[in-house]
Amino acid sequence: MGGSFNPVHVYLLVEQGVHVLEFNNLERLAADRAYEFAYILTTNAIRGTVAGTALRPLALR
């Protein structure tokens, strides 16, 4: 991890494959009183990028 600005993110994402998603806009779900849902995280298929570059979270009720 060397001189990483955020070694926890490097460890979780790069070494363990765990996405850290602390910035999710859930206000619309709360307004709809959707307190139980399946949270699915997909990646956008953008040629030339690596998996996880642009994440697309989905909430299915």
Side-chain angles (χ1 to χ4, degrees):
M1 289 181 270
S4 172
F5 168 74
N6 201 339
V8 172
H9 281 252
V10 172
Y11 172 74
L12 289 174
L13 180 59
V14 178
E15 295 181 22
Q16 300 298 318
V18 176
H19 293 279
V20 181
L21 302 169
E22 64 269 28
F23 299 110
N24 284 283
N25 183 348
L26 304 176
E27 282 77 13
R28 288 177 56 188
L29 288 171
D32 290 342
R33 297 180 183 234
Y35 304 122
E36 294 182 15
F37 52 88
Y39 183 85
I40 301 169
L41 184 66
T42 65
T43 58
N44 292 314
I46 302 172
R47 187 180 184 135
T49 62
V50 296
T53 301
L55 301 175
R56 181 187 315 169
L58 304 170
L60 302 177
R61 293 200 313 180

